Amino acid sequence: MGDMRSGAASAGSSNKWAILLTVLIMTFMATLDSSIVNVALPVMQKALEAGLDQIQWISSVYLLTMCAFLLVFGRLGDLYGKVRYFEIGVVIFSIGSLMCGMSTSLPALVASRAVQGIGGASAMANNMGIITEAFPARERGRALGLLASFVALGMMCGPVLGGFIVSMFPWEGIFLINVPVGILSLVIGHFTLPRSTPECAGQSMDVKGAALLVPGMLLTFLSVTMMQGNASPAAALALVAGVLMLVFFGLHERRVEHPLVNLAIFSDRHFAVNVVCLFISFVAIGVYELMTPFYLQDARGFDPGASGLIFCIIPLVNAVTGPISGAVSDRIGCNLLTVLGLGAFSVGLYLTGTLGMTATLPQILFYLGLASFGTSIFQSPNNSLIMGSVSTEMLGFAGSVSALARYLGMAVGISGSTSILYGQMSVAAGRHVTAFVEGRPDIFLYGYHIVYVVTAALVLVGFALAMGRMVARRRSQR
Protein backbone atom coordinates (compact mmCIF):
# COMPACT_ATOMS: atom_id res chain seq x y z
CA MET A 1 0.00 0.00 0.00
CA GLY A 2 2.88 2.34 0.81
CA ASP A 3 4.37 1.73 -2.67
CA MET A 4 1.04 2.43 -4.30
CA ARG A 5 0.85 5.70 -2.41
CA SER A 6 4.32 6.68 -3.55
CA GLY A 7 3.37 5.92 -7.12
CA ALA A 8 0.29 8.04 -6.89
CA ALA A 9 2.30 10.82 -5.41
CA SER A 10 4.81 10.67 -8.22
CA ALA A 11 2.07 10.75 -10.79
CA GLY A 12 0.68 13.94 -9.37
CA SER A 13 4.03 15.46 -8.38
CA SER A 14 3.77 18.29 -10.89
CA ASN A 15 0.82 19.62 -8.94
CA LYS A 16 2.01 18.81 -5.42
CA TRP A 17 2.99 22.34 -4.43
CA ALA A 18 -0.37 23.72 -5.53
CA ILE A 19 -2.04 20.98 -3.46
CA LEU A 20 0.11 21.95 -0.49
CA LEU A 21 -0.78 25.64 -0.88
CA THR A 22 -4.49 24.84 -0.83
CA VAL A 23 -4.18 22.74 2.33
CA LEU A 24 -2.02 25.39 3.99
CA ILE A 25 -4.67 28.08 3.43
CA MET A 26 -7.30 26.06 5.31
CA THR A 27 -4.83 25.06 8.02
CA PHE A 28 -3.88 28.70 8.49
CA MET A 29 -7.56 29.66 8.78
CA ALA A 30 -8.34 26.99 11.39
CA THR A 31 -5.33 27.79 13.58
CA LEU A 32 -5.86 31.53 13.16
CA ASP A 33 -9.43 31.12 14.38
CA SER A 34 -8.29 29.20 17.45
CA SER A 35 -5.77 31.82 18.57
CA ILE A 36 -7.75 34.87 17.48
CA VAL A 37 -10.60 33.93 19.81
CA ASN A 38 -8.42 33.69 22.93
CA VAL A 39 -7.24 37.29 22.85
CA ALA A 40 -10.83 38.48 22.30
CA LEU A 41 -12.39 36.47 25.15
CA PRO A 42 -12.14 39.25 27.76
CA VAL A 43 -13.87 41.67 25.36
CA MET A 44 -16.54 39.10 24.47
CA GLN A 45 -17.06 38.32 28.16
CA LYS A 46 -17.96 41.94 28.88
CA ALA A 47 -20.05 42.37 25.71
CA LEU A 48 -22.08 39.22 26.36
CA GLU A 49 -22.22 39.81 30.15
CA ALA A 50 -20.96 36.30 30.90
CA GLY A 51 -18.82 34.84 33.67
CA LEU A 52 -15.47 33.20 33.02
CA ASP A 53 -17.07 29.80 33.57
CA GLN A 54 -19.50 30.59 30.74
CA ILE A 55 -17.23 32.41 28.29
CA GLN A 56 -14.72 29.54 28.20
CA TRP A 57 -17.39 27.51 26.35
CA ILE A 58 -16.59 29.59 23.26
CA SER A 59 -13.14 27.99 23.14
CA SER A 60 -13.86 24.59 24.68
CA VAL A 61 -16.95 23.66 22.61
CA TYR A 62 -15.01 24.25 19.39
CA LEU A 63 -12.21 21.96 20.54
CA LEU A 64 -14.51 19.31 22.02
CA THR A 65 -16.60 19.12 18.84
CA MET A 66 -13.46 18.73 16.77
CA CYS A 67 -12.28 15.92 19.06
CA ALA A 68 -15.59 14.08 18.79
CA PHE A 69 -15.67 14.10 14.99
CA LEU A 70 -11.97 13.88 13.99
CA LEU A 71 -11.66 10.10 13.80
CA VAL A 72 -15.02 9.74 12.06
CA PHE A 73 -14.14 12.22 9.31
CA GLY A 74 -10.69 10.69 8.99
CA ARG A 75 -12.24 7.30 8.30
CA LEU A 76 -14.80 8.79 5.90
CA GLY A 77 -11.94 10.44 4.04
CA ASP A 78 -10.15 7.10 3.71
CA LEU A 79 -13.32 5.47 2.36
CA TYR A 80 -14.80 8.14 0.11
CA GLY A 81 -12.01 10.59 -0.60
CA LYS A 82 -9.87 12.82 1.57
CA VAL A 83 -10.28 15.79 -0.77
CA ARG A 84 -14.07 15.47 -0.73
CA TYR A 85 -14.22 15.63 3.07
CA PHE A 86 -11.55 18.30 3.22
CA GLU A 87 -13.73 20.51 1.02
CA ILE A 88 -16.89 19.61 2.94
CA GLY A 89 -15.06 20.69 6.07
CA VAL A 90 -14.10 24.05 4.53
CA VAL A 91 -17.74 24.69 3.60
CA ILE A 92 -19.10 23.81 7.05
CA PHE A 93 -16.35 25.79 8.77
CA SER A 94 -17.11 28.87 6.67
CA ILE A 95 -20.85 28.58 7.36
CA GLY A 96 -20.12 28.24 11.07
CA SER A 97 -17.91 31.32 10.93
CA LEU A 98 -20.74 33.32 9.36
CA MET A 99 -23.13 32.06 12.04
CA CYS A 100 -20.66 33.11 14.75
CA GLY A 101 -20.41 36.59 13.28
CA MET A 102 -24.20 36.92 13.28
CA SER A 103 -24.71 35.61 16.83
CA THR A 104 -26.22 38.03 19.33
CA SER A 105 -26.16 35.86 22.45
CA LEU A 106 -23.76 33.49 24.17
CA PRO A 107 -25.86 30.32 23.52
CA ALA A 108 -26.12 31.17 19.80
CA LEU A 109 -22.39 31.82 19.63
CA VAL A 110 -21.55 28.54 21.39
CA ALA A 111 -23.84 26.61 19.01
CA SER A 112 -22.21 28.32 16.03
CA ARG A 113 -18.77 27.43 17.35
CA ALA A 114 -19.88 23.79 17.48
CA VAL A 115 -20.72 24.02 13.75
CA GLN A 116 -17.25 25.47 13.17
CA GLY A 117 -15.76 22.56 15.11
CA ILE A 118 -17.52 19.98 12.91
CA GLY A 119 -16.19 21.67 9.78
CA GLY A 120 -12.73 22.02 11.25
CA ALA A 121 -12.70 18.32 12.17
CA SER A 122 -13.55 17.26 8.61
CA ALA A 123 -10.84 19.46 7.11
CA MET A 124 -8.09 18.88 9.67
CA ALA A 125 -8.65 15.11 9.78
CA ASN A 126 -7.73 14.89 6.11
CA ASN A 127 -5.14 17.62 5.54
CA MET A 128 -2.10 15.54 6.52
CA GLY A 129 -3.39 12.61 4.48
CA ILE A 130 -3.74 14.77 1.35
CA ILE A 131 -0.17 16.03 1.75
CA THR A 132 1.16 12.53 2.46
CA GLU A 133 -0.43 11.18 -0.72
CA ALA A 134 0.71 14.13 -2.84
CA PHE A 135 4.40 14.01 -1.89
CA PRO A 136 6.91 11.16 -2.30
CA ALA A 137 8.54 9.90 0.89
CA ARG A 138 11.77 11.82 0.30
CA GLU A 139 9.91 15.17 0.28
CA ARG A 140 7.14 14.39 2.73
CA GLY A 141 8.99 15.63 5.80
CA ARG A 142 9.62 18.99 4.18
CA ALA A 143 5.97 19.35 3.20
CA LEU A 144 4.70 18.38 6.66
CA GLY A 145 7.26 20.78 8.14
CA LEU A 146 5.71 23.60 6.12
CA LEU A 147 2.31 22.53 7.43
CA ALA A 148 3.65 22.85 10.99
CA SER A 149 5.08 26.28 10.17
CA PHE A 150 1.69 27.47 8.92
CA VAL A 151 0.12 26.26 12.15
CA ALA A 152 2.59 28.45 14.02
CA LEU A 153 2.01 31.31 11.58
CA GLY A 154 -1.75 31.14 12.11
CA MET A 155 -1.27 31.17 15.87
CA MET A 156 1.16 34.09 15.55
CA CYS A 157 -1.14 36.22 13.42
CA GLY A 158 -4.25 35.42 15.47
CA PRO A 159 -3.46 37.46 18.61
CA VAL A 160 -2.19 40.45 16.62
CA LEU A 161 -5.09 40.43 14.17
CA GLY A 162 -7.61 39.67 16.90
CA GLY A 163 -6.31 42.48 19.07
CA PHE A 164 -6.51 44.90 16.14
CA ILE A 165 -10.05 43.83 15.18
CA VAL A 166 -11.55 44.05 18.66
CA SER A 167 -9.82 47.41 19.17
CA MET A 168 -11.24 48.90 15.97
CA PHE A 169 -14.40 46.89 15.25
CA PRO A 170 -17.03 44.78 17.04
CA TRP A 171 -15.83 41.35 18.19
CA GLU A 172 -17.95 39.64 15.52
CA GLY A 173 -15.29 40.60 12.98
CA ILE A 174 -12.88 37.95 14.26
CA PHE A 175 -15.20 35.28 12.86
CA LEU A 176 -16.35 37.01 9.69
CA ILE A 177 -12.81 37.22 8.30
CA ASN A 178 -12.90 33.42 7.89
CA VAL A 179 -15.66 33.57 5.28
CA PRO A 180 -13.64 35.08 2.38
CA VAL A 181 -10.63 32.91 3.29
CA GLY A 182 -12.84 29.80 3.13
CA ILE A 183 -14.23 30.82 -0.26
CA LEU A 184 -10.68 31.42 -1.53
CA SER A 185 -9.63 27.98 -0.31
CA LEU A 186 -12.55 26.32 -2.12
CA VAL A 187 -11.89 28.15 -5.38
CA ILE A 188 -8.19 27.28 -5.41
CA GLY A 189 -8.94 23.70 -4.34
CA HIS A 190 -11.34 23.24 -7.26
CA PHE A 191 -8.40 23.60 -9.64
CA THR A 192 -5.58 22.06 -7.59
CA LEU A 193 -6.78 19.20 -5.40
CA PRO A 194 -6.64 15.69 -6.91
CA ARG A 195 -9.75 13.56 -7.43
CA SER A 196 -8.16 10.16 -6.95
CA THR A 197 -9.83 6.87 -6.01
CA PRO A 198 -9.63 6.24 -2.25
CA GLU A 199 -7.27 3.45 -1.18
CA CYS A 200 -9.89 1.98 1.14
CA ALA A 201 -12.66 2.02 -1.48
CA GLY A 202 -14.82 -1.08 -1.12
CA GLN A 203 -14.55 -1.25 2.65
CA SER A 204 -17.53 -0.35 4.80
CA MET A 205 -17.98 2.45 7.28
CA ASP A 206 -18.27 1.36 10.90
CA VAL A 207 -21.56 3.18 11.45
CA LYS A 208 -22.24 1.55 14.82
CA GLY A 209 -18.80 2.52 16.04
CA ALA A 210 -19.33 6.13 14.94
CA ALA A 211 -22.75 6.17 16.61
CA LEU A 212 -21.10 5.14 19.89
CA LEU A 213 -17.93 7.24 19.66
CA VAL A 214 -19.28 10.70 18.75
CA PRO A 215 -22.07 11.00 21.36
CA GLY A 216 -19.91 9.14 23.87
CA MET A 217 -17.12 11.71 23.60
CA LEU A 218 -19.52 14.65 23.50
CA LEU A 219 -21.49 13.50 26.55
CA THR A 220 -18.37 12.67 28.52
CA PHE A 221 -16.41 15.85 27.98
CA LEU A 222 -19.34 18.25 27.88
CA SER A 223 -20.70 16.84 31.13
CA VAL A 224 -17.28 17.12 32.79
CA THR A 225 -17.12 20.76 31.70
CA MET A 226 -20.64 21.44 32.99
CA MET A 227 -19.92 19.78 36.33
CA GLN A 228 -17.14 22.28 37.00
CA GLY A 229 -19.72 24.97 37.59
CA ASN A 230 -22.71 22.93 38.75
CA ALA A 231 -22.51 19.23 39.62
CA SER A 232 -26.16 18.59 38.80
CA PRO A 233 -27.73 15.12 38.63
CA ALA A 234 -28.37 15.63 34.90
CA ALA A 235 -24.68 16.31 34.27
CA ALA A 236 -23.68 13.26 36.33
CA LEU A 237 -26.15 11.08 34.39
CA ALA A 238 -24.76 12.40 31.10
CA LEU A 239 -21.24 11.54 32.26
CA VAL A 240 -22.23 7.97 33.11
CA ALA A 241 -23.98 7.59 29.75
CA GLY A 242 -20.97 8.97 27.87
CA VAL A 243 -18.49 6.70 29.63
CA LEU A 244 -20.68 3.64 29.02
CA MET A 245 -20.93 4.47 25.32
CA LEU A 246 -17.14 4.73 25.09
CA VAL A 247 -16.74 1.38 26.86
CA PHE A 248 -19.17 -0.27 24.44
CA PHE A 249 -17.32 1.43 21.58
CA GLY A 250 -14.05 -0.16 22.70
CA LEU A 251 -15.66 -3.60 22.94
CA HIS A 252 -17.30 -3.16 19.53
CA GLU A 253 -14.06 -2.12 17.81
CA ARG A 254 -12.36 -5.37 18.85
CA ARG A 255 -14.97 -7.42 16.99
CA VAL A 256 -15.71 -5.47 13.80
CA GLU A 257 -13.90 -6.37 10.56
CA HIS A 258 -13.17 -2.78 9.48
CA PRO A 259 -12.92 -0.80 12.74
CA LEU A 260 -13.21 2.95 12.99
CA VAL A 261 -10.21 2.95 15.33
CA ASN A 262 -7.40 0.41 15.10
CA LEU A 263 -6.84 -0.21 18.81
CA ALA A 264 -3.89 -2.55 18.15
CA ILE A 265 -1.67 0.46 17.43
CA PHE A 266 -1.76 1.42 21.10
CA SER A 267 -0.11 -1.86 22.10
CA ASP A 268 3.16 -0.29 20.95
CA ARG A 269 4.49 1.21 24.19
CA HIS A 270 6.63 3.83 22.45
CA PHE A 271 3.72 5.03 20.31
CA ALA A 272 1.49 5.28 23.38
CA VAL A 273 4.11 7.29 25.32
CA ASN A 274 4.62 9.63 22.37
CA VAL A 275 0.89 10.32 22.14
CA VAL A 276 0.53 10.82 25.91
CA CYS A 277 3.41 13.32 25.90
CA LEU A 278 1.80 15.14 22.97
CA PHE A 279 -1.50 15.25 24.86
CA ILE A 280 0.16 16.63 28.01
CA SER A 281 1.98 19.33 26.06
CA PHE A 282 -1.26 20.56 24.50
CA VAL A 283 -3.05 20.53 27.86
CA ALA A 284 -0.40 23.04 28.94
CA ILE A 285 -0.70 25.00 25.68
CA GLY A 286 -4.44 25.29 26.23
CA VAL A 287 -3.79 26.61 29.74
CA TYR A 288 -1.38 29.41 28.88
CA GLU A 289 -3.21 30.44 25.72
CA LEU A 290 -6.38 30.95 27.81
CA MET A 291 -4.79 32.42 30.96
CA THR A 292 -2.37 34.86 29.33
CA PRO A 293 -4.96 37.25 27.78
CA PHE A 294 -6.86 37.48 31.07
CA TYR A 295 -3.64 38.20 32.98
CA LEU A 296 -2.59 40.87 30.51
CA GLN A 297 -5.97 42.57 30.04
CA ASP A 298 -7.82 42.12 33.33
CA ALA A 299 -5.00 42.03 35.89
CA ARG A 300 -2.46 44.29 34.18
CA GLY A 301 -4.78 46.56 32.19
CA PHE A 302 -3.23 46.18 28.72
CA ASP A 303 -5.65 46.96 25.90
CA PRO A 304 -6.51 44.13 23.45
CA GLY A 305 -4.11 45.42 20.79
CA ALA A 306 -1.13 45.56 23.14
CA SER A 307 -2.14 42.22 24.66
CA GLY A 308 -2.17 40.66 21.20
CA LEU A 309 1.31 41.95 20.44
CA ILE A 310 2.69 40.59 23.73
CA PHE A 311 0.92 37.27 23.24
CA CYS A 312 2.53 37.05 19.80
CA ILE A 313 5.84 36.04 21.41
CA ILE A 314 4.49 32.52 21.90
CA PRO A 315 3.88 31.53 18.26
CA LEU A 316 6.77 33.73 17.07
CA VAL A 317 9.26 31.67 19.09
CA ASN A 318 7.49 28.53 17.86
CA ALA A 319 7.78 29.57 14.22
CA VAL A 320 11.52 30.19 14.57
CA THR A 321 12.48 27.31 16.86
CA GLY A 322 10.23 24.56 15.47
CA PRO A 323 11.93 24.14 12.05
CA ILE A 324 15.37 24.34 13.67
CA SER A 325 14.41 21.64 16.16
CA GLY A 326 13.18 19.45 13.31
CA ALA A 327 16.43 19.88 11.39
CA VAL A 328 18.55 19.13 14.47
CA SER A 329 16.50 16.02 15.23
CA ASP A 330 17.40 14.67 11.78
CA ARG A 331 21.05 14.82 12.84
CA ILE A 332 21.06 13.75 16.49
CA GLY A 333 17.76 11.92 16.86
CA CYS A 334 14.46 12.86 18.47
CA ASN A 335 14.48 11.43 21.99
CA LEU A 336 16.90 13.85 23.66
CA LEU A 337 15.19 16.89 22.16
CA THR A 338 11.77 15.83 23.46
CA VAL A 339 13.21 15.46 26.96
CA LEU A 340 14.95 18.84 26.85
CA GLY A 341 11.88 20.50 25.37
CA LEU A 342 9.49 19.27 28.06
CA GLY A 343 11.99 20.26 30.77
CA ALA A 344 12.29 23.81 29.45
CA PHE A 345 8.53 23.98 28.94
CA SER A 346 7.87 23.07 32.58
CA VAL A 347 10.33 25.71 33.84
CA GLY A 348 8.83 28.37 31.56
CA LEU A 349 5.30 27.55 32.74
CA TYR A 350 6.27 27.78 36.40
CA LEU A 351 7.99 31.14 35.87
CA THR A 352 4.97 32.44 33.93
CA GLY A 353 2.82 31.57 36.94
CA THR A 354 4.97 33.81 39.15
CA LEU A 355 4.12 36.95 37.14
CA GLY A 356 2.43 39.56 39.25
CA MET A 357 1.45 43.21 39.16
CA THR A 358 5.04 44.47 39.16
CA ALA A 359 6.39 42.19 36.41
CA THR A 360 8.14 44.17 33.67
CA LEU A 361 7.40 43.75 29.98
CA PRO A 362 10.80 42.13 29.26
CA GLN A 363 10.15 39.70 32.12
CA ILE A 364 6.71 38.79 30.74
CA LEU A 365 8.12 38.27 27.25
CA PHE A 366 11.04 36.18 28.52
CA TYR A 367 8.88 33.82 30.61
CA LEU A 368 6.30 33.35 27.87
CA GLY A 369 9.07 32.94 25.30
CA LEU A 370 10.84 30.31 27.43
CA ALA A 371 7.64 28.28 27.70
CA SER A 372 7.13 28.51 23.94
CA PHE A 373 10.80 27.67 23.34
CA GLY A 374 10.39 24.45 25.33
CA THR A 375 7.28 23.27 23.53
CA SER A 376 8.81 24.28 20.18
CA ILE A 377 11.83 22.06 20.81
CA PHE A 378 9.51 19.20 21.77
CA GLN A 379 6.79 19.24 19.10
CA SER A 380 8.60 18.44 15.84
CA PRO A 381 10.76 15.55 17.18
CA ASN A 382 7.79 14.07 19.02
CA ASN A 383 5.68 14.20 15.87
CA SER A 384 8.47 12.40 14.04
CA LEU A 385 8.54 9.75 16.75
CA ILE A 386 4.77 9.24 16.46
CA MET A 387 4.78 8.93 12.67
CA GLY A 388 7.92 6.76 12.78
CA SER A 389 6.30 4.33 15.23
CA VAL A 390 3.78 3.02 12.67
CA SER A 391 3.84 1.35 9.28
CA THR A 392 3.21 3.28 6.07
CA GLU A 393 -0.35 1.96 5.92
CA MET A 394 -1.06 3.45 9.35
CA LEU A 395 0.25 6.98 8.69
CA GLY A 396 -3.20 8.45 8.09
CA PHE A 397 -4.64 6.98 11.26
CA ALA A 398 -1.56 8.05 13.25
CA GLY A 399 -2.07 11.59 11.97
CA SER A 400 -5.71 11.52 13.11
CA VAL A 401 -4.68 10.27 16.55
CA SER A 402 -2.11 13.08 16.79
CA ALA A 403 -4.74 15.67 15.87
CA LEU A 404 -7.13 14.20 18.43
CA ALA A 405 -4.45 14.35 21.13
CA ARG A 406 -3.73 17.99 20.28
CA TYR A 407 -7.31 19.24 20.29
CA LEU A 408 -8.40 17.10 23.22
CA GLY A 409 -5.39 18.28 25.20
CA MET A 410 -6.25 21.92 24.54
CA ALA A 411 -9.89 21.31 25.50
CA VAL A 412 -8.86 19.66 28.78
CA GLY A 413 -6.39 22.48 29.43
CA ILE A 414 -9.01 25.17 28.89
CA SER A 415 -11.78 23.56 30.94
CA GLY A 416 -9.47 22.24 33.66
CA SER A 417 -7.60 25.51 34.16
CA THR A 418 -10.86 27.44 34.30
CA SER A 419 -12.17 25.12 36.99
CA ILE A 420 -8.99 25.44 39.06
CA LEU A 421 -8.81 29.20 38.52
CA TYR A 422 -12.27 30.17 39.71
CA GLY A 423 -12.20 27.49 42.40
CA GLN A 424 -9.05 29.02 43.91
CA MET A 425 -10.33 32.56 43.30
CA SER A 426 -13.40 31.63 45.33
CA VAL A 427 -11.12 30.44 48.13
CA ALA A 428 -9.21 33.73 48.09
CA ALA A 429 -12.38 35.84 47.91
CA GLY A 430 -14.27 33.86 50.53
CA ARG A 431 -17.26 33.56 48.22
CA HIS A 432 -18.16 31.96 44.88
CA VAL A 433 -16.32 33.74 42.08
CA THR A 434 -16.60 33.04 38.33
CA ALA A 435 -15.17 36.25 36.88
CA PHE A 436 -12.46 38.82 37.46
CA VAL A 437 -13.25 40.94 40.56
CA GLU A 438 -12.75 44.58 39.66
CA GLY A 439 -10.17 46.28 41.85
CA ARG A 440 -8.93 42.95 43.25
CA PRO A 441 -6.25 41.59 40.90
CA ASP A 442 -4.76 39.75 43.89
CA ILE A 443 -7.72 37.36 43.87
CA PHE A 444 -7.14 36.54 40.21
CA LEU A 445 -3.38 36.18 40.67
CA TYR A 446 -3.87 33.73 43.53
CA GLY A 447 -5.81 31.33 41.31
CA TYR A 448 -3.55 32.11 38.33
CA HIS A 449 -0.47 31.01 40.27
CA ILE A 450 -2.07 27.72 41.37
CA VAL A 451 -3.10 26.94 37.78
CA TYR A 452 0.46 27.29 36.55
CA VAL A 453 1.98 25.27 39.38
CA VAL A 454 -0.36 22.39 38.57
CA THR A 455 0.33 22.72 34.84
CA ALA A 456 4.11 22.80 35.30
CA ALA A 457 3.87 19.66 37.47
CA LEU A 458 1.82 17.91 34.77
CA VAL A 459 4.45 18.71 32.14
CA LEU A 460 7.07 17.27 34.51
CA VAL A 461 5.13 13.99 34.32
CA GLY A 462 5.55 14.14 30.53
CA PHE A 463 9.24 14.90 31.05
CA ALA A 464 9.58 11.76 33.20
CA LEU A 465 7.78 9.63 30.59
CA ALA A 466 10.01 10.97 27.81
CA MET A 467 13.11 10.38 29.91
CA GLY A 468 12.03 6.80 30.62
CA ARG A 469 11.37 6.23 26.91
CA MET A 470 14.83 7.53 26.01
CA VAL A 471 16.59 5.40 28.61
CA ALA A 472 14.66 2.28 27.56
CA ARG A 473 15.50 2.85 23.89
CA ARG A 474 19.20 3.31 24.62
CA ARG A 475 19.28 0.13 26.68
CA SER A 476 17.61 -1.81 23.87
CA GLN A 477 20.23 -0.58 21.41
CA ARG A 478 23.18 -1.86 23.46
Side-chain angles (χ1 to χ4, degrees), residues 15-26 82-88 90-91 130 180-196:
N15 203 37
K16 61 180 181 289
W17 296 109
I19 294 171
L20 178 62
L21 174 62
T22 306
V23 174
L24 291 181
I25 291 174
M26 175 58 196
K82 294 179 178 64
V83 169
R84 174 183 296 179
Y85 278 90
F86 176 83
E87 292 180 330
I88 288 174
V90 173
V91 171
I130 293 173
V181 178
I183 294 173
L184 177 64
S185 178
L186 284 173
V187 171
I188 295 177
H190 177 74
F191 296 101
T192 61
L193 295 180
R195 313 288 161 174
S196 56

Side-chain angles (χ1 to χ4, degrees), residues 4-264:
M4 292 173 61
R5 182 186 292 117
S6 297
S10 299
S13 60
S14 61
N15 203 37
K16 61 180 181 289
W17 296 109
I19 294 171
L20 178 62
L21 174 62
T22 306
V23 174
L24 291 181
I25 291 174
M26 175 58 196
T27 300
F28 176 82
M29 181 171 68
T31 54
L32 176 79
D33 195 70
S34 175
S35 60
I36 203 174
V37 167
N38 290 332
V39 76
L41 283 179
V43 175
M44 297 163 70
Q45 179 182 1
K46 294 179 176 66
L48 296 171
E49 299 180 346
L52 183 58
D53 59 330
Q54 297 173 311
I55 206 69
Q56 61 98 10
W57 279 98
I58 296 174
S59 290
S60 60
V61 76
Y62 174 74
L63 296 171
L64 291 173
T65 308
M66 287 193 73
C67 292
F69 285 91
L70 265 170
L71 296 179
V72 173
F73 281 123
R75 180 59 177 166
L76 287 171
D78 286 339
L79 291 173
Y80 306 113
K82 294 179 178 64
V83 169
R84 174 183 296 179
Y85 278 90
F86 176 83
E87 292 180 330
I88 288 174
V90 173
V91 171
I92 297 175
F93 185 91
S94 300
I95 293 173
S97 298
L98 182 61
M99 292 171 59
C100 288
M102 298 174 64
S103 298
T104 57
S105 66
L106 182 62
L109 180 57
V110 170
S112 300
R113 285 285 281 171
V115 175
Q116 268 192 316
I118 294 173
S122 186
M124 301 304 281
N126 290 287
N127 63 350
M128 289 183 69
I130 293 173
I131 293 174
T132 301
E133 290 181 345
F135 283 80
R138 66 181 182 276
E139 296 180 341
R140 200 168 295 150
R142 181 183 176 189
L144 292 175
L146 284 172
L147 181 67
S149 295
F150 263 69
V151 170
L153 184 62
M155 293 177 64
M156 180 174 64
C157 293
V160 179
L161 186 58
F164 171 77
I165 290 175
V166 296
S167 296
M168 303 295 294
F169 306 100
W171 59 262
E172 290 88 346
I174 65 173
F175 299 109
L176 295 176
I177 64 168
N178 291 328
V179 179
V181 178
I183 294 173
L184 177 64
S185 178
L186 284 173
V187 171
I188 295 177
H190 177 74
F191 296 101
T192 61
L193 295 180
R195 313 288 161 174
S196 56
T197 303
E199 291 185 10
C200 297
Q203 296 184 13
S204 59
M205 177 65 183
D206 181 13
V207 177
K208 183 177 179 180
L212 289 169
L213 176 64
V214 173
M217 291 188 69
L218 286 174
L219 284 172
T220 299
F221 295 112
L222 290 177
S223 60
V224 168
T225 304
M226 288 188 295
M227 290 174 71
Q228 294 171 1
N230 180 22
S232 64
L237 184 62
L239 176 62
V240 172
V243 171
L244 285 176
M245 293 181 80
L246 292 178
V247 170
F248 286 126
F249 169 76
L251 296 174
H252 167 75
E253 292 298 283
R254 295 179 180 277
R255 298 191 300 267
V256 68
E257 182 179 1
H258 300 297
L260 182 66
V261 176
N262 190 334
L263 297 175

Side-chain angles (χ1 to χ4, degrees), residues 273-353:
V273 169
N274 297 336
V275 172
V276 169
C277 288
L278 179 66
F279 171 78
I280 287 175
S281 72
F282 272 87
V283 170
I285 288 172
V287 170
Y288 76 81
E289 285 196 356
L290 177 70
M291 291 291 121
T292 302
F294 285 98
Y295 165 74
L296 294 173
Q297 295 179 46
D298 285 343
R300 297 301 303 274
F302 289 100
D303 62 55
S307 175
L309 287 172
I310 296 170
F311 191 81
C312 185
I313 188 65
I314 295 173
L316 179 60
V317 171
N318 187 288
V320 173
T321 308
I324 296 175
S325 175
V328 172
S329 68
D330 289 337
R331 293 178 177 270
I332 69 171
C334 299
N335 286 285
L336 178 60
L337 288 174
T338 58
V339 173
L340 294 176
L342 288 174
F345 192 21
S346 180
V347 173
L349 288 168
Y350 177 79
L351 291 175
T352 301

